[in-house]
Amino acid sequence: MGYDDVITYLGDFGRYQKQIYFLLCLPAISCAFHKLAGVFLLARPDFRCVLPFENDTSNFESFPKSQWNLSYPYDSTTEQFQTCEYFDVNYSDDYLNNGLAPLPGGGLNETNTRHCDHYVYDQSTYKSSAVTEWNMVCSRALLSATSDSLFMVGVLLGSIIFGQLSDRYGRKPIFFASLVIQEIFGVLAGVAPEYFTYTVSRMIVGATTSGVFLVAYVIAMEMVGTSYRLFAGVACQMFFSVGFMLTAGFAYFIRDWRWLQIALTLPGLLFMCYHWIIPESARWLLSKGRKDEAIVVIEKAAQVNNVKIPSEVYENLIEDSTQKKNEDEANKNSRDKNSASVFDLLRYPNMRRKTLIIFFDWFVNSGVYYGLSWNTNNLGGNVLLNFMISGAVEIPAYSFLLLTLNRWGRRTILCGCMLAAGVALLLTIIVPGEMNWLVILFAMIGKLAITASYGTIYIFSAEQFPTVVRNVALGASSMVARIGGILAPYLNLLGQIWRPLPLIICGALAFLGGLLSLLLPETHNKPMPETMEDGENFGKHRKPSDLNETGEELTSMVSSSSRHQNGKTK
């Protein structure tokens, strides 16, 4: 008898579970602050070179628009002034007032321009950002993308480090350790004197988002019965979307990047009080043989839910916990030696094809999701409104999943959403320049669709991989997804060359991913593959003779110790 048997008495989603679940979803809001803050912390407002005749009191707005063509080169391709350099001419009053062109006919070449040493920035939207403070524009623009990219490297490392620590030392202590580290380095990023300290601090904060959000998510999911897990998993993501939108609210009232970073960090202090409210995961306690502590948690839940758990349930639970612990210790070396690895997914044609497609889908979903989330500054129009809408569209996306995922099937939703995102984003190519609102509309449709797709890929992948390698395969998929997130800031940097370019690349990737996903088998209402042989046969159309040959080969590869996991799912 295990914890799932206790759930039958407590209820799949009783009053106690609802209370704790709600509290554990709130940290998702704080983690969204940190993941999306870079849009405003590293905002790049309009800027221009400080011209030779200007002084330190010059500002962006003071220079007359009528004289821009006399000072800065104009690129007819992008239809923008190239404000990283200026004409190397004598800026006399006669030159500026009479409107003399630097060369006859307005022709330009490298010999009559100079690169900037100092810049002034438009402060109508942002009073300051890390970009304006450290002049991360023009030849230094790569620094801002690298900072965001290293933040996502931190998220990747955090998912590995804090995930393992929570399995070893418990969910609750790692949650609070991550929270303390997040608060310290979140504030440090806000007072950082230079780029290096800021970037390293933000990278550590990125790592702690895994320790805070993912560990809280695991505690919440381990308390919920199977009939509510789809709802609980999707609803938790909606709290992240709420944090997404609230980030724009902070940025609206706080225009200085340092105070904004600190303001987004301090709400995390509220979760310190969870130490006296949130219990350790009873599932984890039982898995470690700490039965007395697990019973205390279960009895508390039973009291709040106003139910009575028979004493024989506790007795069987104790016996089961002790027996399981002994069996795990006795068989640990055998399992580690004989169980299949993620590399086995690439050894056989059908498994290899499905695995590579799933990895590509994770890469695309993560890269496009973060690419669109961080690209709102490049869309034109009201930056804060664009960002707010980008977060708001996630709510109907997740609601759509709740209504359709168990009705229409996983592959239908995944392929349909990725194709819809691809088409919407690619349509931005044909939008006339004067209809920027239509570009924003297509971008938001793409964001809604890719959010729904991203929410689907978790479930779809878990049902594709065999039980013997499911956990490590999902871990590998998540790592591939992080690579997409790491590259997303550099993708958005291309928007400074040509504004629609990031949207076009995201659209092409999403469309390709949607087409490739059609090659994956549907998993809804299908038995999940248990062994590597099941995984190879699942979704494969072959002749009976081929089936026998491959089956014998796979049977010899998979050990009997891997088969003991039949009937179990992640």
Side-chain angles (χ1 to χ4, degrees):
M1 179 176 289
Y3 186 76
D4 283 330
D5 299 286
V6 176
I7 286 288
T8 61
Y9 293 93
L10 288 178
D12 280 3
F13 204 39
R15 181 181 177 186
Y16 181 77
Q17 291 103 310
K18 290 177 181 177
Q19 292 174 354
I20 300 301
Y21 172 81
F22 174 76
L23 292 175
L24 288 171
C25 284
L26 293 178
I29 297 176
S30 179
C31 289
F33 290 165
H34 293 293
K35 283 194 172 183
L36 280 306
V39 173
F40 305 105
L41 301 177
L42 294 169
R44 186 186 70 92
D46 291 335
F47 66 95
R48 63 177 181 85
C49 289
V50 175
L51 298 173
F53 65 90
E54 294 184 288
N55 54 40
D56 294 337
T57 61
S58 299
N59 56 54
F60 183 83
E61 297 81 5
S62 63
F63 194 67
K65 290 292 184 181
S66 60
Q67 296 179 352
W68 275 57
N69 65 322
L70 301 174
S71 307
Y72 305 108
Y74 184 79
D75 189 335
S76 58
T77 303
T78 61
E79 298 182 348
Q80 293 178 341
F81 285 100
Q82 303 304 297
T83 52
C84 289
E85 54 189 19
Y86 60 93
F87 292 127
D88 186 16
V89 297
N90 179 19
Y91 288 94
S92 62
D93 290 340
D94 183 59
Y95 170 74
L96 293 173
N97 294 331
N98 294 331
L100 299 176
L103 286 178
L108 306 175
N109 57 56
E110 291 295 329
T111 60
N112 69 318
T113 61
R114 298 189 63 177
H115 291 286
C116 293
D117 294 322
H118 304 286
Y119 309 88
V120 289
Y121 300 90
D122 181 4
Q123 294 185 327
S124 60
T125 303
Y126 307 102
K127 181 179 179 181
S128 70
S129 72
V131 168
T132 64
E133 182 167 330
W134 297 318
N135 289 323
M136 291 188 285
V137 294
C138 300
S139 61
R140 291 167 53 87
L142 198 63
L143 292 176
S144 62
T146 300
S147 184
D148 264 342
S149 182
L150 288 175
F151 177 89
M152 294 303 295
V153 171
V155 174
L156 169 61
L157 296 176
S159 64
I160 299 172
I161 296 171
F162 290 111
Q164 292 181 347
L165 290 177
S166 67
D167 284 339
R168 176 174 296 185
Y169 299 108
R171 317 315 193 195
K172 186 173 179 179
I174 299 306
F175 171 83
F176 286 103
S178 302
L179 190 60
V180 170
I181 297 172
Q182 186 176 98
E183 292 302 298
I184 293 173
F185 283 92
V187 172
L188 180 59
V191 299
E194 31 70 36
Y195 172 82
F196 180 79
T197 303
Y198 165 80
T199 299
V200 171
S201 298
R202 284 275 296 163
M203 184 172 68
I204 295 174
V205 169
T208 62
T209 59
S210 297
V212 174
F213 174 57
L214 292 183
V215 173
Y217 178 84
V218 169
I219 298 175
M221 294 300 292
E222 288 181 341
M223 297 177 61
V224 178
T226 54
S227 63
Y228 278 88
R229 282 181 186 164
L230 175 61
F231 168 80
V234 173
C236 187
Q237 300 296 327
M238 292 185 179
F239 283 81
F240 186 90
S241 303
V242 171
F244 194 131
M245 291 181 283
L246 288 177
T247 305
F250 276 85
Y252 177 80
F253 291 103
I254 305 174
R255 304 298 180 94
D256 180 275
W257 77 271
R258 292 185 179 275
W259 285 111
L260 177 61
Q261 169 63 30
I262 294 172
L264 292 172
T265 300
L266 293 181
L269 292 173
L270 298 174
F271 304 124
M272 293 296 184
C273 66
Y274 281 14
H275 181 75
W276 296 276
I277 304 173
I278 301 299
E280 180 57 89
S281 169
R283 288 183 188 271
W284 181 84
L285 290 171
L286 289 172
S287 72
K288 297 299 180 181
R290 294 162 61 174
K291 51 188 178 295
D292 293 335
E293 297 172 68
I295 290 175
V296 171
V297 175
I298 294 170
E299 288 181 337
K300 173 65 175 179
Q303 180 183 0
V304 175
N305 289 353
N306 196 26
V307 298
K308 180 69 176 179
I309 298 180
S311 58
E312 59 267 20
V313 174
Y314 288 129
E315 294 173 0
N316 293 333
L317 188 64
I318 292 171
E319 294 174 359
D320 182 76
S321 174
T322 303
Q323 182 180 359
K324 183 179 184 301
K325 181 181 179 182
N326 293 335
E327 289 177 352
D328 286 347
E329 291 177 354
N331 296 325
K332 180 177 184 298
N333 293 334
S334 177
R335 288 199 307 268
D336 291 344
K337 181 179 179 180
N338 296 314
S339 60
S341 72
V342 70
F343 297 104
D344 292 320
L345 295 171
L346 305 177
R347 292 182 60 185
Y348 298 95
N350 188 40
M351 285 297 302
R352 179 168 58 247
R353 175 178 58 86
K354 293 189 295 183
T355 299
L356 293 177
I357 292 174
I358 290 171
F359 282 177
F360 182 74
D361 282 347
W362 278 81
F363 172 82
V364 170
N365 275 276
S366 177
V368 174
Y369 175 84
Y370 285 107
L372 294 178
S373 297
W374 293 336
N375 192 52
T376 51
N377 282 336
N378 291 330
L379 293 179
N382 189 310
V383 173
L384 291 171
L385 181 60
N386 292 345
F387 188 89
M388 178 75 75
I389 297 173
S390 182
V393 297
E394 294 189 2
I395 302 297
Y398 290 128
S399 301
F400 171 76
L401 292 184
L402 289 175
L403 296 173
T404 62
L405 207 53
N406 284 336
R407 295 183 180 181
W408 297 353
R410 284 65 158 127
R411 185 180 65 178
T412 302
I413 301 300
L414 179 67
C415 297
C417 289
M418 293 189 74
L419 290 173
V423 170
L425 296 175
L426 288 173
L427 283 175
T428 59
I429 302 175
I430 62 174
V431 176
E434 64 274 10
M435 299 180 67
N436 190 67
W437 64 270
L438 193 55
V439 172
I440 297 174
L441 176 62
F442 284 142
M444 295 309 159
I445 293 174
K447 177 64 186 304
L448 187 153
I450 206 65
T451 299
S453 171
Y454 205 178
T456 304
I457 192 67
Y458 282 87
I459 299 172
F460 193 42
S461 300
E463 294 173 344
Q464 291 280 351
F465 292 122
T467 299
V468 294
V469 74
R470 183 172 296 124
N471 193 44
V472 69
L474 287 175
S477 299
S478 180
M479 291 184 66
V480 173
R482 299 306 175 199
I483 295 174
I486 290 169
L487 296 178
Y490 297 106
L491 173 66
N492 289 336
L493 198 62
L494 298 177
Q496 298 180 20
I497 301 174
W498 185 37
R499 182 177 290 178
L501 190 55
L503 299 180
I504 295 171
I505 295 175
C506 286
L509 289 173
F511 192 82
L512 177 59
L515 291 177
L516 290 175
S517 298
L518 292 171
L519 301 176
L520 296 172
E522 178 58 75
T523 61
H524 182 48
N525 290 330
K526 301 287 181 64
M528 296 174 70
E530 303 290 347
T531 65
M532 293 298 296
E533 182 178 357
D534 293 338
E536 173 66 12
N537 293 336
F538 183 52
K540 185 174 184 178
H541 302 289
R542 301 170 302 171
K543 299 178 181 179
S545 58
D546 297 333
L547 183 63
N548 294 333
E549 180 180 351
T550 305
E552 292 176 0
E553 184 181 12
L554 283 168
T555 301
S556 64
M557 188 273 292
V558 182
S559 66
S560 59
S561 64
S562 296
R563 292 174 177 270
H564 86 282
Q565 299 185 56
N566 286 358
K568 298 179 181 179
T569 58
K570 180 176 178 293

